[in-house]
């Protein structure tokens, strides 16, 4: 396990432990949620400097108002090479711990970190280093959320998906539905 994965694993365990501690004092605001998002994927690595429309779907469980777990799928679009490499299509399935900081009753910020299983439709040795077209790496992000009512919220999120030594970024608007 490399240094980044060890650091991320330690941070994830710490987030889970702190989420359990918050659960004892904040039992409200818990339950399942699901949503979808659309935005822009961005890459600026090696011969790749491109952006494309990206989509995501996600779901999770909010243990309390401060902590949740979220899983999802992001279609990061088609990214074109500036020269030497081949075009590629990227996607990711992920699981993250989400820490939330409420600013007001309706407005909050959040950060998330976890692991993802990425897939490139075209293996690109210059980007992945090995020529593999899939792998597991860290993902993390930050966002702001505005809650319209108890069931619907709008989120703005910026996430990074590490793919070996390359970074794909995703900026998007999401709608979240709580059950």
């Amino acid at each position: 396990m490399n240094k980044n994965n060890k650091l991320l694993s330690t941070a994830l365990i710490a987030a889970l432990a702190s989420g359990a501690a918050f659960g004892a004092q904040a039992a409200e605001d818990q339950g399942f949620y699901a949503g979808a998002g659309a935005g822009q994927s961005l890459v600026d690595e090696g011969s790749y400097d491109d952006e494309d429309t990206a989509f995501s779907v996600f779901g999770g469980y909010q243990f309390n108002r401060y902590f949740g777990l979220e899983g999802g799928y992001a279609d990061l679009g088609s990214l074109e090479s500036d020269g030497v490499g081949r075009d590629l299509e990227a996607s990711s399935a992920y699981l993250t711990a989400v820490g939330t900081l409420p600013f007001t009753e309706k407005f909050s910020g959040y950060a998330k970190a976890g692991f993802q299983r990425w897939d490139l439709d075209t293996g690109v040795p210059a980007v992945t280093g090995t020529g593999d077209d899939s792998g597991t790496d860290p993902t993390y992000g930050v966002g702001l959320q505005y809650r319209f009512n108890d069931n619907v919220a709008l989120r703005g999120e910026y996430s990074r998906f590490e793919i070996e030594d390359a970074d794909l970024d995703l900026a998007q608007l999401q709608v979240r539905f709580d059950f």
Side-chain angles (χ1 to χ4, degrees):
M1 186 180 289
N2 68 28
K3 185 178 177 182
N4 284 341
N5 285 346
K6 287 181 184 179
L7 180 63
L8 188 58
S9 297
T10 303
L12 190 58
I13 289 169
L16 288 170
S18 66
F22 276 125
Q25 62 188 5
E28 74 277 353
D29 301 321
Q30 66 184 37
F32 290 98
Y33 64 89
Q40 199 78 29
S41 64
L42 314 149
V43 65
D44 186 9
E45 297 281 343
S47 66
Y48 292 89
D49 184 9
D50 194 22
E51 53 190 56
D52 196 14
T53 303
F55 301 95
S56 67
V57 292
F58 59 90
Y61 187 79
Q62 193 74 37
F63 291 96
N64 56 56
R65 66 185 306 186
Y66 303 105
F67 180 75
L69 289 177
E70 183 174 294
Y73 173 81
D75 180 341
L76 301 166
S78 178
L79 303 167
E80 297 177 2
S81 170
D82 285 343
V84 182
R86 295 175 282 176
D87 296 351
L88 58 98
E89 291 187 23
S91 62
S92 171
Y94 61 87
L95 178 64
T96 57
V98 182
T100 304
L101 178 61
F103 302 130
T104 68
E105 179 126 350
K106 294 187 176 276
F107 188 62
S108 60
Y110 63 92
K112 57 199 253 181
F115 293 95
Q116 55 137 347
R117 176 72 177 172
W118 53 265
D119 182 49
L120 299 177
D121 285 350
T122 303
V124 182
V127 172
T128 63
T130 62
D132 290 343
D133 62 356
S134 64
T136 304
D137 278 300
T139 184
Y140 42 91
V142 295
L144 296 172
Q145 176 174 282
Y146 180 79
R147 183 160 293 289
F148 292 105
N149 56 43
D150 289 343
N151 298 326
V152 179
L154 180 66
R155 302 188 335 176
E157 182 175 295
Y158 193 87
S159 301
R160 173 157 286 176
F161 296 88
E162 294 186 9
I163 298 177
E164 295 284 338
D165 293 329
D167 297 326
L168 262 87
D169 295 332
L170 176 58
Q172 62 180 330
L173 285 176
Q174 301 173 330
V175 177
R176 172 179 156 162
F177 301 96
D178 290 61
F179 308 106

